[in-house]
Amino acid sequence: MTTHEVRISPLRDDLPFGARVHGVTRESLREEANRRTIRQAFEDHALLLFEAVEESPAMQLAISETLGPLKDHPVSKVPRTDEALAAGVIELKSDPNDDQLVVEYQGRRMTNFLPWHFDHSYNNELNRAGVLRPVIIAPEGGQTGFADGIALYESLPAGLKARLEGVNVIYDLGVMQPRMRFGVPEGMRVVQVPAALTAVEEQAKTKRRAVHPAVWRRATGEKVLHVGLLHAVGIEGRENPEGDALLHEVVQFIMDNTLAYFHQWRLGQMLTWDNWRMLHCVTGSDPRYPRQMHRTTIAGDYGLGYFECDRRPAPQPVA
Ligand SMILES: [Fe+2]
């Protein structure tokens, strides 16, 4: 019997994913029964919103470590927070006084625009999850969107489902907003590129491209549509107009999804998602306002990605 019980409730009744977690404190996280409840909810619901939690890096680490061991971020040019506090806690920050990425769309300038993606697609290994903590919230926009790969796969038209069997997508770290090939909203243009992004693009030139299946099957049996827009450059073995047309089609399907959840942040919340199953994005916010998030990275790979030229892993049964 636990003395500080953690409780789980649906994120929203009409969504096939997501749960709220209540009662998370340093005390409750010390109880193994509560830690098990959180891990099981993560497996079942793929997105957990921790409500009314202590606003501190220590709490973010305690929640993260409940889900698994931390790992460092694979790109050394991505800014870190205080390394003495936690290796691999990264800072996602936009500030009107800093050099920031700015795009223009439908007559408005926006920063923080990030299209649908899964983290570390440009790497052979994925991470299991991240835990996001808001530090400064933009007064409007800057929502984080989540889409469920299982629900996406199930709602694919039969013809597209069939054409995605055995398809692998190639990702390149250097292909970000300024050079995106797939999923650029019509009429959007990049008007300012920060030096930090250029540095990541430079670093990317030393990295091989990574390959991940467009669809994979979980140990629990469900198939997951798992295609990121941000770094995608083509379909393995079909980097031609026919392959690009298929990738454009699936990307458009993802962008048209109506079962996504867009989270409006409040201080005192933290949020984690299953990076093997969910896609996420960030809606743009007005460049005049700062926004700052801290994110941990939790280790754990699904074992299906590889760098080009490396031996491919044994194919998983997909039938
Ligand atoms: Fe991300």
Side-chain angles (χ1 to χ4, degrees), residues 11-305:
L11 178 65
R12 220 172 63 192
D13 287 337
D14 60 333
L15 289 172
F17 62 91
R20 291 174 199 270
V21 186
H22 313 267
V24 170
T25 62
R26 294 185 193 222
E27 292 72 31
S28 63
L29 284 186
R30 278 197 275 271
E31 297 187 21
E32 184 50 32
N34 285 332
R35 296 162 68 87
R36 263 201 314 274
T37 298
I38 291 169
R39 283 194 289 270
Q40 191 59 52
F42 176 83
E43 293 295 337
D44 294 343
H45 303 292
L47 183 162
L48 300 181
L49 175 62
F50 298 89
E51 296 277 23
V53 287
E54 179 188 300
E55 292 177 43
S56 72
M59 194 69 216
Q60 187 175 12
L61 289 176
I63 289 174
S64 302
E65 284 163 353
T66 301
L67 297 161
L70 294 184
K71 72 180 280 193
D72 196 6
H73 195 277
V75 181
S76 63
K77 296 288 184 191
V78 171
R80 267 60 172 179
T81 57
D82 185 354
E83 286 287 350
L85 182 65
V89 177
I90 62 170
E91 187 176 71
L92 309 164
K93 178 182 167 189
S94 59
D95 188 306
N97 300 312
D98 289 349
D99 188 22
Q100 55 184 345
L101 179 73
V102 178
V103 301
E104 194 172 85
Y105 182 54
Q106 295 180 335
R108 292 180 62 193
R109 292 204 164 193
M110 300 189 297
T111 189
N112 285 308
F113 165 73
L114 250 184
W116 291 110
H117 66 286
F118 57 96
D119 286 340
H120 300 187
S121 59
Y122 49 79
N123 209 26
N124 57 343
E125 276 185 23
L126 295 189
N127 57 309
R128 186 73 181 98
V131 173
L132 274 172
R133 180 169 83 87
V135 179
I136 301 172
I137 298 171
E140 57 180 56
Q143 297 172 327
T144 309
F146 294 91
D148 179 14
I150 294 176
L152 280 169
Y153 181 78
E154 286 172 357
S155 62
L156 276 171
L160 188 50
K161 232 180 222 179
R163 284 184 290 139
L164 287 174
E165 283 295 317
V167 162
N168 294 315
V169 178
I170 304 168
Y171 298 94
D172 183 336
L173 172 63
V175 175
M176 288 181 282
Q177 293 91 334
R179 298 205 294 131
M180 267 176 71
R181 290 202 60 214
F182 296 91
V184 182
E186 203 175 328
M188 179 178 283
R189 66 186 187 100
V190 174
V191 295
Q192 183 176 299
V193 179
L197 193 148
T198 305
V200 173
E201 286 179 333
E202 273 306 304
Q203 189 176 15
K205 291 178 183 167
T206 65
K207 279 182 72 105
R208 287 172 292 168
R209 305 189 304 177
V211 184
H212 292 273
V215 174
W216 69 284
R217 186 189 282 279
R218 284 166 31 115
T220 43
E222 306 93 337
K223 284 187 177 178
V224 178
L225 177 64
H226 209 228
V227 174
L229 282 50
L230 187 60
H231 303 286
V233 291
I235 290 178
E236 185 184 46
R238 294 157 69 182
E239 288 186 80
N240 53 41
E242 175 272 329
D244 285 358
L246 175 58
L247 195 44
H248 277 298
E249 192 176 338
V250 71
V251 159
Q252 193 61 51
F253 175 81
I254 289 168
M255 293 170 75
D256 292 343
N257 171 39
T258 55
L259 279 177
Y261 169 75
F262 288 87
H263 185 62
Q264 179 62 57
W265 289 99
R266 288 203 317 267
L267 295 176
Q269 295 179 324
M270 293 191 208
L271 188 153
T272 187
W273 69 97
D274 181 343
N275 191 49
W276 301 355
R277 169 173 163 181
M278 306 296 288
L279 300 177
H280 61 285
C281 69
V282 182
T283 65
S285 61
D286 192 317
R288 290 174 299 173
Y289 301 116
R291 179 182 187 267
Q292 190 178 341
M293 309 290 292
H294 284 181
R295 200 197 80 198
T296 58
T297 307
I298 294 156
D301 186 26
Y302 73 158
L304 301 174

